[in-house]
Amino acid sequence: MNTQTGQPLLEFVSCPHPEGQHRMAYWRWGDVNARRLVVCAHGLTRQGRDFDRLAQALVSQSPQALQIICPDVVGRGRSDWLSDPAGYQIPQYAADMLAMLGQVNAQMMAQTGDDKPIQTLDWVGTSMGGLIGMVLAGQPGLPLPAPIRRLVLNDVGPAITWSSVQRMQGYVGHFGQFADLDEAAAAMWALSQGFGPVAADVWLDMSAHMTRPGTDGKLTLHYDPAIGVPVRAMTPEIAAAGEVALWALYDQIQAQTLLIRGQDSDLLTPETATVMTQRGPHAQLDTWPGFGHAPTLTGDDQIAVVANFLLGV
């Protein structure tokens, strides 16, 4: 974090993919040499600045030096767009996170001279970001700088309802241009009722990071519309096969796990959430009335739940 401005540092990592290389952007809060690291990964159409308030709160509340890294998953925010939309899937996203963590670890090694500078690694994942976290935490042999110690899954699990997939197929990548930020924020809020209560000024600030310049002085959304191509290619059969693979990964997770579920979620059913408390890491379930898919983790009460889980003994 830039201590003079109170804003995160923007950094980039070069990531391999079948077409060559792409850059992924990530935002760093706190002490860049802190040995405690938390990664916050966003949902399907979002970006890393969604976690500004959570990151600032965690840094200020931690009794030890802490750094928070919030990536813009490729195709979103400040990250590159892929030439082949087929790359917009969880395996590529997970590989990009490994590249990012490898770069951060190498930077810290160079600064500190320590061959294992990251002592603890925690993960907060909203929706798609939670799926990425499950892939990383559920494969013990991956070259992470440290095992994932605590995992927050924000309204997501191995099983995702087909109706929620159909909902995503209907809106992802379908957007135009907006006269100004207020119009863009209103359009996004119309699709985001499941986020639960969000203060108007907070939503406007979040929306500012969700837009980029369009044409004729207008604004458009920050992400590559092609991220919707793999989503629209999804079928019930493909989804069922993916669910089997994700349950197998979930069962291997060793991290202490907090599962947050919006009580009105159309993506994570109560039945799936209950099973997640009974197998794998036996997640601690916290159900939030008044929320659907997925809480923004911006309110003080929401932040307190996550902070207590990550920063507690």
Side-chain angles (χ1 to χ4, degrees):
M1 179 172 64
N2 187 324
T3 55
Q4 292 182 331
T5 65
Q7 294 296 309
L9 298 173
L10 174 60
E11 299 185 29
F12 294 88
V13 59
S14 181
C15 305
H17 71 282
E19 301 295 316
Q21 299 279 325
H22 62 266
R23 291 198 317 164
M24 184 177 73
Y26 56 97
W27 305 88
R28 295 179 79 171
W29 296 87
D31 181 351
V32 297
N33 286 318
R35 297 167 69 84
R36 299 189 67 189
L37 171 61
V38 179
V39 176
C40 298
H42 60 76
L44 180 62
T45 64
R46 306 296 299 181
Q47 40 66 52
R49 298 299 300 272
D50 273 2
F51 295 105
D52 281 8
R53 285 160 184 79
L54 176 63
Q56 292 177 77
L58 291 175
V59 168
S60 66
Q61 294 176 27
S62 176
Q64 297 175 290
L66 181 69
Q67 61 172 315
I68 316 291
I69 293 183
C70 307
D72 288 345
V73 175
V74 65
R76 290 89 165 165
R78 302 289 186 91
S79 294
D80 288 347
W81 292 8
L82 297 178
S83 56
D84 182 2
Y88 289 131
Q89 299 193 65
I90 298 296
Q92 181 65 61
Y93 303 154
D96 290 356
M97 298 303 161
L98 289 175
M100 177 190 73
L101 290 168
Q103 175 170 292
V104 169
N105 192 56
Q107 290 171 342
M108 293 178 64
M109 287 173 62
Q111 287 289 326
T112 65
D114 189 339
D115 62 351
K116 292 185 178 180
I118 297 175
Q119 288 185 331
T120 64
L121 172 62
D122 296 334
W123 189 278
V124 178
T126 293
S127 193
M128 179 188 77
L131 296 179
I132 299 169
M134 280 192 282
V135 168
L136 296 178
Q139 299 183 76
L142 290 179
L144 291 165
I148 294 177
R149 181 191 64 130
R150 293 185 181 177
L151 173 66
V152 178
L153 299 175
N154 184 15
D155 206 66
V156 70
I160 295 172
T161 64
W162 179 244
S163 61
S164 68
V165 174
Q166 291 178 304
R167 174 175 59 82
M168 289 183 281
Q169 289 175 328
Y171 79 83
V172 176
H174 299 306
F175 58 83
Q177 298 193 93
F178 308 98
D180 53 29
L181 180 57
D182 286 337
E183 183 178 317
M188 285 184 279
W189 184 247
L191 294 171
S192 307
Q193 298 302 304
F195 287 2
V198 182
D201 60 326
V202 172
W203 183 251
L204 193 65
D205 183 57
M206 293 176 68
S207 298
H209 299 297
M210 290 286 296
T211 59
R212 59 184 176 86
T215 59
D216 300 326
K218 295 185 177 181
L219 295 175
T220 190
L221 297 189
H222 69 97
Y223 69 86
D224 182 358
I227 69 170
V229 172
V231 177
R232 286 188 289 277
M234 186 74 66
T235 65
E237 293 75 22
I238 294 173
E243 180 180 327
V244 171
L246 283 169
W247 275 116
L249 289 167
Y250 184 78
D251 285 339
Q252 296 187 88
I253 292 174
Q254 299 296 311
Q256 185 178 346
T257 301
L258 170 65
L259 175 61
I260 296 168
R261 180 179 181 271
Q263 190 173 61
D264 301 321
S265 176
D266 70 337
L267 185 141
L268 178 64
T269 67
E271 293 77 16
T272 295
T274 297
V275 173
M276 291 173 71
T277 69
Q278 299 168 344
R279 58 189 284 187
H282 294 83
Q284 169 190 331
L285 174 61
D286 203 340
T287 301
W288 292 1
F291 291 85
H293 182 76
T296 59
L297 308 182
T298 55
D300 290 345
D301 52 346
Q302 301 171 57
I303 289 171
V305 171
V306 176
N308 289 339
F309 176 73
L310 294 179
L311 305 179
V313 176

